[in-house]
Amino acid sequence: MNRRLVLKVMAVGMILAVFALSSAGLAAPKLILKLAHADAVDITTSRKHAQCITFANLVNAQSGGRLEVQVFGAGQLGAEREYVEAVQAGTVQAGIASGVIGSFFPPAMMTDIPYLFPTATVAWKVLDGPFGQKLSDMFLARTGMRNLAFAEVGFRHFTNSKRPIKSPADIKGLKIRVQETQVYLRLINSMGGSPTPVAWTETYTALQTKVVDGQENPISSIVFAKLYEVQKYLTLDGHVYGVDWFVINEKFFQSLDKDLQEIVMEAARISATVGRGMQQLLSSTGLETCQKGGMEIYQPTTAELAQFKSATQQPVIDWLKTQVDPNLINELLKAVDEASK
């Protein structure tokens, strides 16, 4: 190879090297999606963490490294209200939250209507169907956040240390720890109980010291907090079916390439199913834990559940109609009736 040819080869090599370096410099940097939740970070005890880890693994694998999901659990990015505010502002990209969503979007409170969903499968049909999509569309328009999927908090049940609860009359006079929301305050008031807002982190102590007589939560939460140590009676009335919202900042979502948007949406739907399944598993296995912990468990009859519904549902609906379009509430009730058939 003569000198001139060598120089040409070297020149071509240098040009290719410069092109490669400039292309690398122009390549889009890896996108980061921070996903927040406030629950425990053990996938065997936390439905939210199981859901988040499923979502992260699916997106990270299918995006080919272009989008990296980083999960921040156990309140690392703040409590629910704080990280939902951050999602709305765009400083955190996504989060999973439940009760606090009603503060940003009042119609979300409708799913907390007492004894609304007779079974989890009915709830899934409604939330995954046209009404759930309408609710998500309204949420996007009003908040600037997109709901990727509905997941599950689970059915909430009453516990107390005084007596078995078999009818609304049995709650009369009991001090029941509740979340500080009008839905739950009116729920307990309608049965003659005394609703007492207490922070979740202080609930065990409040029950232990008799500041309150009872509380209401899904089985998984009762087991996680070991409330069977300070509560004697558990009534499986399922008065509220709690809903988790998987929310993402819309500007961030729209900044993604279309194929990444599809990956995110599909992964969210799959992960929400995992969260639902995990909650069902924790609830079913948790009953045995409660029983072994010394709790007396009572399953109300159909007639008794009708008494609970009659006493509580209308007072909550009447209040909700002062906060939400009554037509939307009626539309939800109709969707539940149709799904139940």
Side-chain angles (χ1 to χ4, degrees), residues 33 69 82 136 189 258 300 318 331:
L33 190 162
V69 178
E82 294 170 323
S136 293
N189 276 328
K258 291 297 181 183
D318 289 343
E331 191 173 337

Side-chain angles (χ1 to χ4, degrees), residues 154-167:
F155 281 107
R156 305 176 76 92
H157 308 289
F158 288 114
T159 70
N160 83 103
S161 58
K162 295 288 188 180
R163 54 181 175 265
I165 295 174
K166 299 182 178 181
S167 71

Side-chain angles (χ1 to χ4, degrees), residues 105-263:
F105 179 61
M109 294 186 290
M110 293 188 303
T111 56
D112 283 344
I113 291 174
Y115 306 98
L116 174 66
F117 298 113
T119 65
T121 52
V122 169
W124 300 341
K125 287 180 183 179
V126 173
L127 295 171
D128 296 342
F131 182 84
Q133 186 59 55
K134 179 175 182 176
L135 204 59
S136 293
D137 291 343
M138 292 174 62
F139 176 73
L140 173 60
R142 295 191 191 182
T143 69
M145 294 181 283
R146 175 182 292 265
N147 179 46
L148 293 171
F150 290 106
E152 179 171 291
V153 176
F155 281 107
R156 305 176 76 92
H157 308 289
F158 288 114
T159 70
N160 83 103
S161 58
K162 295 288 188 180
R163 54 181 175 265
I165 295 174
K166 299 182 178 181
S167 71
D170 293 324
I171 290 183
K172 187 175 182 179
L174 293 180
K175 293 178 290 184
I176 305 294
R177 178 269 172 188
V178 293
Q179 304 175 63
E180 194 169 1
T181 71
Q182 285 296 320
V183 168
Y184 289 92
L185 294 174
R186 291 171 187 273
L187 167 65
I188 303 302
N189 276 328
S190 66
M191 294 182 284
S194 178
T196 308
V198 175
W200 172 242
T201 53
E202 300 171 7
T203 298
Y204 184 98
T205 301
L207 294 167
Q208 184 180 45
T209 58
K210 309 300 183 183
V211 171
V212 291
D213 302 310
Q215 61 85 54
E216 51 81 46
N217 258 300
I219 299 297
S220 57
S221 298
I222 294 169
V223 171
F224 180 77
K226 298 183 178 180
L227 299 187
Y228 49 80
E229 296 178 345
V230 290
Q231 296 280 269
K232 179 65 175 177
Y233 305 101
L234 167 61
T235 298
L236 302 176
D237 69 303
H239 48 273
V240 168
Y241 173 84
V243 177
D244 271 332
W245 293 60
F246 190 163
V247 301
I248 189 170
N249 179 275
E250 178 65 4
K251 288 183 179 179
F252 174 80
F253 181 79
Q254 290 299 336
S255 74
L256 300 175
D257 291 340
K258 291 297 181 183
D259 67 318
L260 288 181
Q261 290 180 3
E262 292 174 1
I263 288 170

Side-chain angles (χ1 to χ4, degrees), residues 317-337:
I317 289 176
D318 289 343
W319 176 79
L320 278 173
K321 285 183 176 179
T322 68
Q323 310 295 311
V324 179
D325 182 359
N327 292 325
L328 192 62
I329 296 173
N330 292 334
E331 191 173 337
L332 170 58
L333 296 175
K334 181 179 178 181
V336 171
D337 285 342

